[in-house]
Amino acid sequence: VHQLAGGDFRTRVPVRSRDEFGALAKAFNQMAEDLERHQELVVIQERLRRELELSRLIQTEMLPQSPLKIGAAEIKGISIPAREVGGDFFNYFALADGRLALLVGDVSGKGVSAALLMANVQATLRARLQLEPNLARLAAELDRDIDATTPGAVYLTLFVGILDLERQTLRYVNAGHNPQFVLGAGGDIAAMPATGLPIALYPGQPYEESSVRVRPGDMLFFYTDGLVESENEAGEMFGADR
């Protein structure tokens, strides 16, 4: 017992009889075996926890770390994952011609697999947005690529927009994502609903590009379903109405 209490979970006692002492020895050995197995699981779980924490840090570094200020526009965002890693993402960056690319999306599922696909999608969009001006065609190409390179159950919702400060317009494709909003300087709210299905959910479906006018003082508000699905202590979702 002292050896076991000291952490030597390989300790066993000989079973020399079939009476109560023998039964006690068997019970002790079973307990020691269970403790040894539990300790091995604890070690494995701790290693996984460290790996997930490292993955979380890497994923966090892939998101914008500071606000972006260009001309009259200021853009910033925040991500608070429900687990160590997940599939929600956002990004914003300037294109070569001075326009601003705005992204927000949500890969189905949670965990490392969703995070890996999120990283792949971000890299793909960042490269292709510099070359493909047609957002509907860009979404269709991404739809085909994700379908061809991932398991059938994987898909993602995506809002991708190009903000033109000179023309005061936002062109966008909303691939099955939550309606995003333009909060007008005068108090009006304009929704930007879906213009196509989620990427790779039913591959080959068309996407449409839409646009909205943005005026001085307007605010663009983008989010993922983690916001509307957050629950209070009673288990009630925040919901889209709120």
Side-chain angles (χ1 to χ4, degrees), residues 95 97 99 124-125 127-144 158 160-162 171-174 195 199 206-210:
L95 299 175
D97 58 7
R99 295 175 302 161
T124 299
L125 288 172
R128 293 188 180 181
L129 277 170
Q130 301 282 359
L131 305 173
E132 178 54 79
N134 189 308
L135 296 180
R137 190 159 54 232
L138 175 66
E141 293 172 356
L142 185 64
D143 178 66
R144 289 193 297 270
L158 173 68
V160 53
I162 301 294
R171 297 188 297 110
Y172 69 89
V173 165
N174 185 339
T195 61
I199 301 292
Y207 294 92
E208 295 183 7
E209 181 180 302
S210 188

Side-chain angles (χ1 to χ4, degrees), residues 40-55:
E40 291 173 352
L41 290 175
V42 169
V43 172
I44 293 174
Q45 290 172 351
E46 177 61 22
R47 185 170 65 248
L48 290 174
R49 188 196 65 78
R50 290 197 300 267
E51 290 178 355
L52 285 173
E53 176 64 17
L54 178 59
S55 299

Side-chain angles (χ1 to χ4, degrees), residues 60-122:
T60 300
E61 289 298 320
M62 295 178 63
L63 302 177
Q65 301 300 305
S66 59
L68 174 64
K69 296 182 180 180
I70 295 184
E74 178 179 357
I75 311 170
K76 57 184 176 180
I78 186 172
S79 174
I80 305 174
R83 301 182 183 181
E84 286 83 355
V85 290
D88 289 23
F89 67 92
F90 70 92
N91 210 333
Y92 43 80
F93 49 89
L95 299 175
D97 58 7
R99 295 175 302 161
L100 301 178
L102 310 174
L103 310 173
V104 61
D106 182 7
V107 177
S108 62
K110 300 292 182 183
V112 175
S113 60
L116 288 173
L117 180 55
M118 178 274 284
N120 179 37
V121 169
Q122 282 223 70

